[in-house]
């Protein structure tokens, strides 16, 4: 028997739409889930945006005030896809009202913010799933299994990259993303948070780190009105960019492995260049998000001149089989969010965590705080 679950979405920019479409698709791909999401309410403060979302996607009601979602008895679970600076206030309020949370990373601006949401969810005994979607790629799942089985020996070092050009244009509008009070640490929370999650998910805890950060586009034009995505605002009044465009970080793992994490939002010529290279004593693994269904694998006893094979993921790798019947059929970004939706619904149904959790968000945020501190103090820092 499938029970209906009343869901809401708070914040209806691009990510709110992605969550909504994941709710609509999730039972198509995971028909054995015991919960059927029903779109009850959508909230967004931009005039007309929530109403448009309700008309397009079939929400029962729309509001400009997320507090109405908190008070709505029809709503049992909520996607929080509002800007980062609202995550703590909204997340805590929803958890205290007994609503299950599917919340986008980085869950606030600091580790304290993430911990406040995690503590509220734990106290209320509600599920908390976090939007670290890249760990849901079947090739990443395959890599994790291979690492756990020791198929490339002991991991020696890793390079994780998240390079993008979404903020490279100097006419990019000075939105909340570039303000420390509302956008937090900039590229750290936006992209490096994913890198930290991948590092922990694949290699375990980070023992210490040393980071360097930079702002390469120091001023941007203020937008004249409401914005969505990465709007341009040429000719507006200039204001300062308060958070970081770029971070590079050396990592020391508790296992003894070493790592390099690099993230940029102003990398001209790079569009979603996300991935990793993991080296071990007997082999290596390579993954590029832009070729999501491929995993480069080198293993054996040759060591020197050992070849690399391209493995096309297929059924049996992560949740691939829920989307495609055979290897090398392409999956996309939105499919990773459908996987995440299934984790969220499973977590609610059986009371056990599935996928990335609020505790993962706390650990990631602690590492980001440590990076910022390391860059300021110019020293190695422990995220603990």
């Amino acid at each position: 028997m499938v029970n209906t679950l009343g869901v809401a979405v708070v914040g209806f920019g691009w990510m709110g739409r992605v969550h909504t479409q994941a709710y609509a698709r999730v039972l198509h791909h995971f028909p054995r889930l015991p919960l059927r999401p029903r779109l009850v309410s959508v909230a967004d403060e931009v005039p007309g945006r929530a109403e448009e979302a309700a008309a397009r996607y079939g929400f029962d009601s729309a509001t400009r005030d997320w507090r109405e979602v908190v008070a709505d008895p029809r709503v049992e679970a909520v996607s929080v896809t509002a800007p980062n600076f609202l995550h703590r206030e909204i997340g805590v309020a929803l958890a205290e009202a007994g609503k299950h949370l599917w919340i986008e990373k980085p869950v606030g601006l600091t580790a304290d913010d993430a911990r406040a949401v995690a503590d509220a969810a734990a106290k209320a005994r509600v599920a908390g799933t976090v939007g670290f979607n890249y760990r849901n790629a079947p090739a990443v799942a395959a890599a994790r299994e291979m690492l756990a089985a020791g198929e490339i020996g002991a991991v020696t070092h890793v390079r994780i990259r998240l390079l993008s050009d979404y903020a490279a244009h100097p006419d990019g509008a000075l939105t909340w993303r570039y303000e420390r009070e509302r956008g937090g640490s900039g590229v750290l929370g936006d992209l490096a948070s994913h890198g930290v999650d991948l590092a922990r998910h694949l290699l375990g805890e980070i023992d210490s780190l040393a980071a360097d950060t930079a702002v390469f586009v120091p001023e941007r034009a203020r937008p004249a009105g409401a914005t969505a995505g990465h709007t341009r605002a040429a000719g507006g009044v200039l204001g300062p960019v308060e958070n970081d465009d770029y971070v590079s970080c050396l990592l020391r793992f508790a296992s003894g492995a070493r790592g390099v994490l690099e993230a940029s939002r102003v990398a001209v010529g790079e569009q979603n260049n996300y991935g990793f290279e993991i080296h071990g004593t007997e082999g290596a693994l390579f993954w590029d998000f832009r070729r999501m269904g491929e995993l480069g694998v080198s293993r054996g006893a040759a060591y020197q001149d050992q070849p690399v094979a391209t493995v096309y993921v297929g059924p049996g790798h992560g949740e691939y089989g829920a989307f495609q019947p055979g290897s090398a059929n392409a999956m996309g970004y939105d499919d990773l969010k459908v996987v995440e939706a299934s984790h969220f619904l499973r977590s609610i149904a059986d009371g056990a965590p599935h996928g990335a959790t609020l505790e993962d968000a706390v650990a990631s945020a602690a590492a980001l705080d440590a990076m910022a501190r390391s860059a300021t103090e110019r020293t190695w820092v422990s995220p603990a």
Side-chain angles (χ1 to χ4, degrees), residues 3 195 342 368 381:
N3 296 316
S342 75
L368 301 180
V381 173

Side-chain angles (χ1 to χ4, degrees), residues 152-302:
I152 64 167
V155 173
T156 54
H157 56 99
V158 59
R159 177 174 177 257
I160 298 172
R161 68 189 185 280
L162 295 108
L163 307 176
S164 182
D165 65 354
Y166 71 78
H169 201 292
D171 290 341
L174 188 68
T175 64
W176 61 269
R177 294 181 182 276
Y178 305 100
E179 299 174 0
R180 188 159 293 278
E181 184 176 348
R182 298 194 296 165
S185 54
V187 74
L188 276 74
D190 188 20
L191 295 180
S193 60
H194 281 298
V196 172
D197 183 67
L198 283 173
R200 293 183 60 253
H201 185 61
L202 293 169
L203 302 178
E205 297 303 327
I206 298 168
D207 183 68
S208 59
L209 56 83
D212 183 37
T213 59
V215 178
F216 293 126
V217 183
E219 291 185 317
R220 295 182 182 273
R222 300 186 185 279
T227 60
H230 305 296
T231 306
R232 294 183 187 176
V237 176
L238 294 177
V241 172
E242 299 174 349
N243 52 29
D244 293 306
D245 289 329
Y246 173 85
V247 61
S248 60
C249 185
L250 299 176
L251 304 170
R252 292 174 178 166
F253 292 88
S255 66
R258 299 297 196 262
V260 177
L261 189 157
E262 185 180 27
S264 175
R265 63 188 182 187
V266 294
V268 175
E270 301 284 9
Q271 297 88 39
N272 299 325
N273 182 358
Y274 309 152
F276 56 73
E277 299 106 44
I278 302 174
H279 295 268
T281 54
E282 299 173 13
L285 299 172
F286 308 91
W287 181 69
D288 186 330
F289 167 68
R290 298 165 301 179
R291 304 179 70 154
M292 190 169 68
E294 301 178 16
L295 184 66
V297 178
S298 177
R299 54 187 169 182

Side-chain angles (χ1 to χ4, degrees), residues 82-163:
N84 301 348
F85 66 94
L86 295 172
H87 286 185
R88 177 172 183 163
E89 182 182 9
I90 295 174
V92 169
L94 288 168
E96 290 179 344
K99 318 289 189 185
H100 302 287
L101 294 173
W102 179 10
I103 186 168
E104 275 304 311
K105 56 82 203 169
V107 189
L109 305 181
T110 65
D112 286 343
D113 286 351
R115 172 53 66 193
V117 178
D119 287 348
K123 184 176 181 179
R125 296 184 179 180
V126 297
T129 298
V130 179
F132 289 126
N133 42 268
Y134 298 110
R135 64 158 62 187
N136 298 326
V140 176
R144 190 169 190 250
E145 290 182 4
M146 293 176 68
L147 292 169
E151 293 191 31
I152 64 167
V155 173
T156 54
H157 56 99
V158 59
R159 177 174 177 257
I160 298 172
R161 68 189 185 280
L162 295 108
L163 307 176

